[in-house]
Amino acid sequence: MSPGETPAAWRDGHGADDPLYAGRPTPADHVNYPTLTYEVTGRVARITFNRPAQGNAITNDTPHDIAHAVERADLDPRVHVILVSGRGKGFCGGYDLSIFAESAMTPPGSEGSDGAIPADGTVLDPEVQARNHDPEGTWDPMVDYAMMSRFNRGFSALLHANKPTVAKIHGFAVAGGSDIALFADQIICADDARIGYPPTRVWGVPAAGMWAHRLGDARAKRLLLTGDSLTGRQAAEWGLAVESVPAEELDAATEDLVGRIAQMPVNQLVMVKLALNSALLAQGVANSGMVSTVFDGISRHTREGYAFQQRAATVGFREAVRERDEPFGDAKPRSQQ
């Protein structure tokens, strides 16, 4: 049948039935990475953080895993939309800072899998970073920047992907986890989710630099000048999330959203995203990320930053965080740590 004889032929997806791809192999439907899983179901590529016991905390592998999985989805003609979520109690609790802070900034080593560059002898080498973060030594800010900017580049694959990306947030998307979420084109969340960057209270600046671009100047400052977090409901009210629903309804609401997006032709989705991204990028997203990443490094090398690091090494990271947050009234009780 010709397109004129086929009802709504424009909604037909690419893939095995498209003449462009006829007779060609079908891309992989399932891939396991060190920190996440990748799965294609219908027209949706699902990237799911898979370190639930650690709150899906970020390791050296995470930015590579995200970028690699996003590229898979971008190149797969069957995929119309990319959904990012987390297993366990939350989306992502940020960097694995218990390792960083308690061990004098010694990060977990890279797995070196799926083409990732091994960490040994590079700026990702745990020993190199430990030396560069020694309060008694000399700090090289560009060694720090080389490490942290790599995380940003991986996370920003969600923004720079040709196809639309959606972040589904339940539980928490805090600190570095919020950096990842804010790079997505759309955020949908549970009413009781928590989204924010508490490390601005000491030892951190949101390296992605996306808060002002997503919320505007005044509201971004309201959060980052206090380290306060938003609930999912507040995130929707403030325009950070496109929708917030009761936690038990989040899965259904998310499937409805990505299902609606997936009905659109791929080329329409790509053109719309590129057109809208042109305005967002013109605001200076790249410059914001560069400046914020440099300041994030500086914040860990002030007197206050060193004091926090040394306290965490003495009493443990969780206790140091509790002491940090206690004056603000949102510290986690010791019984929940």
Side-chain angles (χ1 to χ4, degrees):
M1 295 176 65
S2 69
E5 298 173 316
T6 304
W10 56 88
R11 283 201 291 268
D12 291 345
H14 291 307
D17 295 332
D18 189 296
L20 284 174
Y21 306 99
R24 303 308 301 152
T26 301
D29 287 333
H30 301 269
V31 181
N32 291 325
Y33 292 90
T35 65
L36 55 85
T37 61
Y38 174 88
E39 179 183 16
V40 176
T41 58
R43 297 180 174 187
V44 182
R46 302 173 187 273
I47 297 173
T48 309
F49 296 125
N50 194 33
R51 301 182 71 233
Q54 296 80 28
N56 295 318
I58 297 165
T59 74
N60 281 339
D61 287 306
T62 307
H64 174 267
D65 293 350
I66 291 175
H68 198 278
V70 167
E71 181 73 351
R72 280 185 182 276
D74 240 2
L75 297 177
D76 190 333
R78 301 169 301 170
V79 172
H80 290 227
V81 59
I82 302 166
L83 176 64
V84 186
S85 62
R87 289 191 173 87
K89 295 181 179 180
F91 178 79
C92 176
Y95 290 85
D96 203 337
L97 292 180
S98 61
I99 298 175
F100 280 66
E102 292 174 16
S103 305
M105 286 299 295
T106 303
S110 176
E111 298 285 346
S113 58
D114 289 311
I117 297 173
D120 292 349
T122 74
V123 295
L124 298 179
D125 190 316
E127 183 61 31
V128 170
Q129 286 298 328
R131 293 171 184 174
N132 197 42
H133 290 79
D134 181 357
E136 302 301 322
T138 301
W139 171 54
D140 185 335
M142 291 300 99
V143 170
D144 192 285
Y145 179 79
M147 176 184 72
M148 291 305 300
S149 61
R150 173 184 178 272
F151 287 95
N152 264 359
R153 285 194 297 273
F155 303 159
S156 69
L158 297 170
L159 174 65
H160 296 294
N162 291 330
K163 296 173 182 177
T165 56
V166 177
K168 178 175 76 170
I169 297 176
H170 76 290
F172 44 79
V174 294
S178 69
D179 280 343
I180 296 172
L182 267 62
F183 274 126
D185 299 312
Q186 304 270 271
I187 293 174
I188 183 170
C189 54
D191 289 342
D192 60 355
R194 186 165 63 93
I195 307 170
Y197 205 94
T200 58
R201 293 168 178 171
V202 67
W203 217 56
V205 172
M210 290 297 294
W211 283 97
H213 298 287
R214 295 304 194 193
L215 276 180
D217 176 72
R219 282 182 162 170
K221 287 176 179 173
R222 168 62 185 85
L223 292 179
L224 299 182
L225 294 176
T226 61
D228 291 344
S229 296
L230 295 172
T231 65
R233 185 187 297 275
Q234 289 171 319
E237 292 171 352
W238 283 29
L240 181 67
V242 294
E243 188 176 353
S244 175
V245 297
E248 63 273 15
E249 299 175 15
L250 180 60
D251 288 344
T254 302
E255 292 305 310
D256 180 67
L257 174 60
V258 297
R260 293 176 69 83
I261 295 172
Q263 292 186 70
M264 300 273 286
V266 172
N267 51 26
Q268 285 291 133
L269 293 170
V270 172
M271 288 187 284
V272 169
K273 177 169 177 174
L274 289 175
L276 295 176
N277 267 9
S278 68
L280 179 62
L281 295 174
Q283 296 175 8
V285 166
N287 284 339
S288 298
M290 178 185 67
V291 172
S292 297
T293 301
V294 171
F295 284 161
D296 184 48
I298 293 173
S299 74
R300 285 181 270 109
H301 295 85
T302 61
R303 288 194 306 271
E304 296 84 355
Y306 281 139
F308 177 83
Q309 176 185 329
Q310 290 167 332
R311 182 63 174 163
T314 302
V315 300
F317 182 69
R318 292 177 182 273
E319 175 60 18
V321 168
R322 191 197 65 78
E323 294 175 2
R324 178 197 71 189
D325 294 340
E326 191 171 37
F328 295 89
D330 54 11
K332 184 180 291 187
R334 287 191 178 92
S335 61
Q336 296 181 20
Q337 295 187 25

